[in-house]
């Protein structure tokens, strides 16, 4: 009997084929194993029992860095085999796999500190199970000649390991050692190699700021215990309050500063090593690392060079926790070469530790939050991109989706495979558009696609749309919140109609107003908006996105239960400003109608005196959530039934009136923050249940940036499930705008395939 097994997932560049060959030997299976681009194909000949055993071994005893997403097994006719062979990669057109970067593995970390190993303290040690991948790729086929490692010919010993299937460096493109690998240096000095590492360590130990070239770009690092150093970094970076992520020396150190659950430990120590957002323990770090924030972003070293900063043989002690923040302004692409470092980082750092292995694709650190101890992605980039999503739909054709304006990522769809890119940044910055353009052409080349269809957001002023249109191909416009919902559906590989709850910051609505608190019936083919929160005026244009007090005032002016005096009593602004605001509201000057849930959170945060204006995106709404976590469930007297007007309208005016009146009664702010979450969740749940009764649809998808708020997520999900609704949520695709490229791509691909029929 001959069976064809196709294994999808992280199965290339991780030693999958030699492992399969060993399993074949063990179970006496004959046949072959070959890389086929997006999957590994195994031909297996044996009896039923052998074949079952073999398949189990593949599934349950796969190499440590591999991830099996799917196995397709099928009986096939084939000439009998007489041996089991590893077939060398023959490059077949259109079957391309781009591996994500892998954090240093335990074996390499051990060798790194073994004085008898020839890679002792080598800053670029790697193997089949670890090392850079995506970030060093420059072309196809994927071999050393087409990576940044081409400038470093392998020495004889490295070459023999590279060619030996029994070695743990078999077929690992970036393999190198102390004699043939890249070199580190302090930029624009004669200080290199050992001396450079010692100099950087010395700088960190003495409270200075060091720029460090990592896997996907430069970081700025300093001693996370040293208040002076951290404050200085804040003022240099013009970043007054946004939390910094830190890198801890090891797991034990991380456990001191944050609460690490069992699953968080797996992620923290795993091969992707994202920044994990975890609850702080005792606050032993400098106060200004993550001021007034119960959470802290923590990661462990993932590049050997980072390990060496914590531990080296120079008898110096360096800080066990370092601030490790990407070396660029917020939204701007991460700095990735010496020229940029010279230009951007000289003013921001005291020492620049660089190296001569080029970064071809920039890649920021991924940021992961947790929901019920399961990964809940905030930024999907290093370690995950560009791993594809595989849908069950029988799609054909190619699409490019440009993604969101903020937190931009793009997505290439190729048949049923969808490849969301690494994080690009904020496209209102022209530098980001340039990087987007370059990364798209590189990825399209690597995936051998030339999509004739481009999907983008509908917003007429977005650079993402202008860029899409400038490509001169067919453009498909996808409404922002619909894209959010489809991204959530696609991540769950669910293509039946759902009730989409898209609670978000800002998105361009079909009627030209701002949307962001939407309920829509969706499938991959289209959507219908069936509900939304009561529209209000956002006064002050772009400012109203940062200054929650503006929306608060507008919501109070519009509220029939409240008066102008309330605005003054709440100290939202002074009398003079209020007069101006009133005129602006009356005449609709610089004002736009909005259903944005994000702005509602900002407004309530301002009313409660928690955060009047945000110094970074999401500050006010995050602070509101953290306050609510200190409150408790209780009966509140708020009318939460949706009104049937033009579709269902969520009566947030009741909510605002309640919050204002109780705040003016000096009730506990944290409790009111909780009440707000609870009542808003009730409004969502009631509306979804009404839509469900009306349409018979019993599945809901929760997406949009507001669902980064896991308290709201929990309240909505739990109540819906109690009422027998199947609730889809995000896992590894962010609920924020970093995820919408996948939704856009799936919508465009569906349209393309509809037209074919
Ligand atoms: Zn390794
Ligand atoms: Zn070597
Ligand atoms: Fe959005």
């Amino acid at each position: 009997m001959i069976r064809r097994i196709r294994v999808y997932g992280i199965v290339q560049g991780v030693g999958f084929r030699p492992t399969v060959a060993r399993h074949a030997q063990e179970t006496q299976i004959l046949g072959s194993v070959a890389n086929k681009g997006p999957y590994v194909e195994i031909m297996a000949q044996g009896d039923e029992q052998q074949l079952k055993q073999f398949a189990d071994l593949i599934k349950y005893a796969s190499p440590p860095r591999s991830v099996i997403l799917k196995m397709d097994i099928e009986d096939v006719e084939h000439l009998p085999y007489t041996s089991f062979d590893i077939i060398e990669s023959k490059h077949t057109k259109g079957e391309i796999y781009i591996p994500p970067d892998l954090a240093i593995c335990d074996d390499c970390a051990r060798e790194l500190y073994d004085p008898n190993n020839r890679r002792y303290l080598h800053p670029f040690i790697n193997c089949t199970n670890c090392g850079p991948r995506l970030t060093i790729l420059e072309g196809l086929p994927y071999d050393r000649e087409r990576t940044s490692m081409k400038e470093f010919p392998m020495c004889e010993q490295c070459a023999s390991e590279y060619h030996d299937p029994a070695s743990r460096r078999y077929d690992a493109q970036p393999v190198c050692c102390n004699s043939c690998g890249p070199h580190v240096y302090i930029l624009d000095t004669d200080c290199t190699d050992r001396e450079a590492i010692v100099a950087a360590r010395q700088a960190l130990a003495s409270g200075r700021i060091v720029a460090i070239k990592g896997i996907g770009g430069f970081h700025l690092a300093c001693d996370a215990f040293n208040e002076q150093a951290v404050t200085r970094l804040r003022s240099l970076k013009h970043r007054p309050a946004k939390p910094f992520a830190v890198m801890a020396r090891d797991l034990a150190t991380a456990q001191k500063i944050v609460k690490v659950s069992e699953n968080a430990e797996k992620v923290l120590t795993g091969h992707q090593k994202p920044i994990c957002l975890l609850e702080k323990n005792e606050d032993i770090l400098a106060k200004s690392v993550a001021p007034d924030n119960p959470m802290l972003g923590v990661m462990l070293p993932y590049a050997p060079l980072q390990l060496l900063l914590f531990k080296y043989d120079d008898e110096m002690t360096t800080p066990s926790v370092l601030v490790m923040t990407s070396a660029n302004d917020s939204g701007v692409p991460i700095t990735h070469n010496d020229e940029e470092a010279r230009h951007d980082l000289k003013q921001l750092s005291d020492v620049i530790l660089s190296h001569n292995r080029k970064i071809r694709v920039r890649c920021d650190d991924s940021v992961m939050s947790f929901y019920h101890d399961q990964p809940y992605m905030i930024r999907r980039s290093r370690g995950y991109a560009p791993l594809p999503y595989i849908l069950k739909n029988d799609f054909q054709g190619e699409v490019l989706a440009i993604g969101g304006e903020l937190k931009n990522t793009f997505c290439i769809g190729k048949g049923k495979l969808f490849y969301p890119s690494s994080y690009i940044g904020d496209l209102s910055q022209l530098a980001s558009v340039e990087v987007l353009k370059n990364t798209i052409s590189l990825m399209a080349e690597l995936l051998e696609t030339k999509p004739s269809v481009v999907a983008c957001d509908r917003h007429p002023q977005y650079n993402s749309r202008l860029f899409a249109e400038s490509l001169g191909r067919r453009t498909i416009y996808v409404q922002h919140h619909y894209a959010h919902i489809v991204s959530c559906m696609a991540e769950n590989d669910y293509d039946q109609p759902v009730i989409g709850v898209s609670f978000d910051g800002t998105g361009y609505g079909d009627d030209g107003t701002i949307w962001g608190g939407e309920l829509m019936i969706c499938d991959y083919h289209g959507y219908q908006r069936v509900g939304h929160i009561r529209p209000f005026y956002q006064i002050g244009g772009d400012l109203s996105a940062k200054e929650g007090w503006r929306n608060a005032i507008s919501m109070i002016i519009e509220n029939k239960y409240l008066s102008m005096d309330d605005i003054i009593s709440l100290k939202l602004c002074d009398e003079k400003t209020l007069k101006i605001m009133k005129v602006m509201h009356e005449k609709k000057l610089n004002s736009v109608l909005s259903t944005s849930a994000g702005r509602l959170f900002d407004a309530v945060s301002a009313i409660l005196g928690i955060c009047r204006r945000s110094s970074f995106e999401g500050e006010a709404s995050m602070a509101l959530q953290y306050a609510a976590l200190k409150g408790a469930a209780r009966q509140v007297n708020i009318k939460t039934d949706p009104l049937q007007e033009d579709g269902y309208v969520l009566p947030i005016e009741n909510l605002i009136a309640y919050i204002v009146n109780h705040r003016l009664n000096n009730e506990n702010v944290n409790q009111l923050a909780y009440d707000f979450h609870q009542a808003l969740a009730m409004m969502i749940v009631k509306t979804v249940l009404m839509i469900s009764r009306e349409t018979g649809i019993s599945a809901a998808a929760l997406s949009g940036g507001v669902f980064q708020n896991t308290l709201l997520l929990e309240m909505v999900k739990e109540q819906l499930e109690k009422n027998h609704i199947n609730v889809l949520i995000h896992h590894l695709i962010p609920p924020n705008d970093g995820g919408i490229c996948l939704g856009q791509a799936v919508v465009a691909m569906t349209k393309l395939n509809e037209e074919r029929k």
Side-chain angles (χ1 to χ4, degrees):
M1 203 187 300
I2 297 180
R3 232 163 242 181
R4 190 187 66 200
I5 306 171
R6 284 181 173 166
V7 189
Y8 294 83
I10 306 182
V11 286
Q12 266 114 356
V14 291
F16 203 82
R17 290 176 303 156
T19 305
V20 169
R22 270 196 300 278
H23 293 333
Q25 202 171 20
E26 208 171 302
T27 47
Q28 292 177 303
I29 290 282
L30 305 179
S32 66
V33 57
N35 274 343
K36 289 283 187 172
Y39 54 88
V40 161
E41 186 172 275
I42 303 156
M43 301 298 282
Q45 169 185 315
D47 64 30
E48 188 60 51
Q49 206 202 331
Q50 285 173 313
L51 284 167
K52 193 191 167 308
Q53 225 182 347
F54 180 56
D56 281 350
L57 279 174
I58 294 171
K59 201 164 170 186
Y60 299 113
S62 55
R65 297 297 148 116
S66 67
V67 176
I68 297 178
L69 294 173
K70 201 169 81 158
M71 272 172 81
D72 282 345
I73 304 180
E74 210 180 304
D75 288 330
V76 290
E77 298 291 319
H78 198 282
L79 294 175
Y81 288 96
T82 54
S83 61
F84 192 93
D85 301 307
I86 296 176
I87 299 176
E88 279 305 318
S89 298
K90 252 188 282 137
H91 175 57
T92 15
K93 195 169 166 48
E95 294 185 327
I96 294 311
Y97 174 78
I98 309 173
D101 301 299
L102 297 166
I104 183 169
C105 71
D106 293 345
D107 290 333
C108 285
R110 217 169 293 125
E111 288 185 6
L112 181 66
Y113 290 114
D114 173 4
N116 299 317
N117 193 283
R118 64 188 198 86
R119 291 188 180 84
Y120 180 53
L121 300 182
H122 180 48
F124 302 93
I125 187 170
N126 67 82
C127 72
T128 309
N129 287 331
C130 76
R133 299 287 189 271
L134 168 70
T135 51
I136 57 166
L137 270 183
E138 46 192 45
L140 281 172
Y142 174 35
D143 58 28
R144 194 181 182 96
E145 277 313 295
R146 247 92 24 186
T147 71
S148 312
M149 289 304 291
K150 69 175 174 211
E151 288 160 38
F152 309 99
M154 276 182 275
C155 68
E156 222 169 278
Q157 271 172 297
C158 284
S160 78
E161 287 173 88
Y162 176 84
H163 292 294
D164 174 11
S167 148
R168 58 181 206 88
R169 294 198 164 83
Y170 171 66
D171 207 20
Q173 303 308 336
V175 161
C176 60
C177 70
N178 277 316
S179 64
C180 69
H183 294 273
V184 297
Y185 47 84
I186 302 293
L187 188 64
D188 297 334
T189 68
D190 301 331
C191 184
T192 65
D193 300 300
R194 184 183 175 79
E195 243 179 87
I197 290 171
V198 172
R201 284 167 51 80
Q202 223 148 27
L204 288 170
S206 57
R208 281 181 289 161
I209 298 168
V210 182
I212 301 158
K213 186 172 172 182
I215 298 294
F218 278 84
H219 283 111
L220 289 171
C222 72
D223 182 352
F225 295 95
N226 185 328
E227 182 61 48
Q228 223 178 340
V230 181
T231 314
R232 182 167 161 249
L233 180 57
R234 282 208 177 277
S235 81
L236 287 172
K237 256 198 118 183
H238 303 293
R239 180 165 154 163
K242 190 177 176 188
F244 282 138
V246 300
M247 184 176 273
R249 181 174 54 200
D250 48 28
L251 180 63
T253 309
Q255 281 163 332
K256 267 186 220 150
I257 52 177
V258 287
K259 299 190 171 72
V260 182
S261 69
E262 208 175 306
N263 274 337
E265 180 178 326
K266 271 186 211 152
V267 176
L268 215 46
T269 59
H271 56 267
Q272 285 135 341
K273 292 206 168 53
I275 296 168
C276 292
L277 290 177
L278 298 168
E279 203 184 320
K280 278 181 187 167
N281 261 339
E282 43 183 327
D283 224 343
I284 50 173
L285 299 181
K287 284 276 171 286
S288 53
V289 170
D292 302 321
N293 201 312
M295 310 296 282
L296 181 67
V298 182
M299 61 181 154
L300 293 181
Y302 53 84
L305 179 57
Q306 294 162 346
L307 275 173
L308 298 179
L309 294 176
F310 288 104
K311 188 177 163 205
Y312 206 57
D313 69 345
D314 56 5
E315 272 151 41
M316 201 184 337
T317 312
T318 52
S320 61
V321 183
L322 295 172
V323 165
M324 199 53 88
T325 180
S326 63
N328 50 276
D329 288 332
S330 144
V332 182
I334 190 166
T335 306
H336 82 305
N337 62 30
D338 285 354
E339 199 189 323
E340 287 178 356
R342 225 170 253 128
H343 182 266
D344 304 340
L345 304 183
K346 281 240 159 124
Q347 302 85 340
L348 299 184
S349 61
D350 303 305
V351 174
I352 300 177
L353 177 62
S354 187
H355 59 72
N356 60 349
R357 185 178 69 198
K358 293 192 179 101
I359 295 173
R360 290 302 178 188
V361 179
R362 299 170 207 244
C363 207
D364 285 71
D365 294 318
S366 294
V367 181
M368 187 183 280
S369 171
F370 291 85
Y371 172 69
H372 277 227
D373 206 24
Q374 292 300 313
Y376 194 62
M377 194 70 95
I378 300 298
R379 179 167 73 202
R380 180 185 187 270
S381 200
R382 179 184 50 75
Y384 298 88
L387 196 66
Y389 275 81
I390 306 164
L391 302 191
K392 59 182 172 224
N393 306 68
D394 191 20
F395 287 136
Q396 272 166 38
E398 299 172 351
V399 299
L400 165 66
I402 302 300
E405 187 79 352
L406 300 170
K407 305 188 173 67
N408 177 268
T409 60
F410 64 89
C411 179
I412 291 177
K414 215 179 153 182
K416 56 164 74 171
L417 293 164
F418 292 83
Y419 301 83
S421 76
S422 56
Y423 179 84
I424 305 286
D426 176 355
L427 295 190
S428 65
Q429 315 267 350
L430 285 178
S432 305
V433 179
E434 199 54 33
V435 171
L436 171 68
K437 189 169 139 193
N438 296 336
T439 315
I440 286 176
S441 37
L442 180 65
M443 289 293 293
E445 191 190 321
L446 290 172
L447 291 166
E448 299 193 322
T449 55
K450 202 172 181 308
S452 55
V453 171
V454 182
C456 69
D457 198 88
R458 290 193 57 170
H459 199 302
Q461 263 121 46
Y462 274 1
N463 280 334
S464 55
R465 170 167 169 176
L466 298 178
F467 172 71
E469 288 169 343
S470 77
L471 294 174
R473 303 179 213 168
R474 179 179 169 201
T475 313
I476 293 177
Y477 302 96
V478 186
Q479 200 280 325
H480 187 92
H481 303 102
Y482 175 45
H484 270 302
I485 298 301
V486 177
S487 79
C488 180
M489 296 171 66
E491 170 166 26
N492 290 284
D493 200 6
Y494 188 91
D495 65 354
Q496 297 303 302
V498 301
I499 300 163
V501 183
S502 204
F503 268 48
D504 199 29
T506 300
Y508 188 76
D510 289 340
D511 56 6
T513 70
I514 291 178
W515 289 5
E518 313 306 311
L519 288 109
M520 30 180 64
I521 296 171
C522 309
D523 62 15
Y524 290 172
H525 299 270
Y527 74 98
Q528 190 195 347
R529 186 194 197 204
V530 288
H532 52 80
I533 67 177
R534 166 95 58 213
F536 55 90
Y537 276 96
Q538 275 185 223
I539 308 176
D542 286 347
L543 273 181
S544 63
K546 295 187 187 107
E547 306 193 343
W549 63 273
R550 289 173 180 273
N551 300 318
I553 288 175
S554 161
M555 285 177 194
I556 294 174
I557 292 178
E558 289 164 18
N559 199 304
K560 57 184 181 225
Y561 308 113
L562 299 172
S563 78
M564 293 295 166
D565 297 341
D566 295 332
I567 295 173
I568 299 300
S569 312
L570 288 167
K571 298 194 180 71
L572 284 169
C573 69
D574 56 30
E575 306 245 4
K576 206 170 124 205
T577 313
L578 178 56
K579 264 189 198 140
I580 300 170
M581 294 289 290
K582 244 176 89 180
V583 173
M584 286 178 81
H585 189 272
E586 236 161 68
K587 306 222 159 114
K588 308 297 174 249
L589 292 172
N590 204 8
S591 301
V592 30
L593 211 52
S594 163
T595 57
S596 163
R599 299 299 85 82
L600 170 65
F601 272 78
D602 295 350
V604 172
S605 197
I607 291 170
L608 289 179
I610 293 168
C611 182
R612 220 173 138 264
R613 68 158 57 89
S614 299
S615 73
F616 60 91
E617 196 226 338
E619 181 177 11
S621 51
M622 244 167 23
L624 183 63
Q625 178 194 346
Y626 296 146
L629 289 172
K630 296 179 205 150
R634 65 168 181 179
Q635 280 289 330
V636 288
N637 188 20
I638 304 175
K639 279 211 176 75
T640 51
D641 292 315
L643 306 171
Q644 217 150 4
E645 295 173 18
D646 57 331
Y648 292 103
V649 174
L650 278 56
I652 54 163
E653 61 276 14
N654 301 343
L655 202 45
I656 296 293
Y658 172 92
I659 297 291
V660 169
N661 287 329
H662 287 250
R663 163 80 171 141
L664 290 176
N665 271 338
N666 283 321
E667 264 195 55
N668 181 283
V669 164
N670 298 334
Q671 185 57 48
L672 291 176
Y674 188 95
D675 295 347
F676 165 75
H677 278 75
Q678 200 178 21
L680 185 64
M682 271 325 289
M683 289 185 190
I684 295 172
V685 169
K686 283 182 178 171
T687 315
V688 169
L689 293 177
M690 282 170 130
I691 298 168
S692 172
R693 273 196 290 276
E694 216 172 90
T695 59
I697 299 170
S698 62
L702 311 182
S703 189
V706 168
F707 278 112
Q708 285 173 171
N709 182 328
T710 47
L711 177 63
L712 184 76
L713 179 75
E714 168 78 357
M715 289 170 165
V716 174
K717 185 168 182 281
E718 198 176 275
Q719 284 304 316
L720 286 177
E721 283 174 345
K722 262 193 194 148
N723 287 282
H724 313 291
I725 300 284
N726 171 21
V727 182
L728 309 178
I729 64 165
H730 283 284
H731 307 283
L732 293 179
I733 291 287
N736 58 46
D737 286 4
I740 64 172
C741 63
L742 177 61
Q744 291 175 347
V746 171
V747 170
M749 182 66 85
T750 304
K751 199 168 171 59
L752 208 62
N753 282 266
E754 249 168 17
E755 291 168 356
R756 279 230 174 95
K757 281 178 192 152

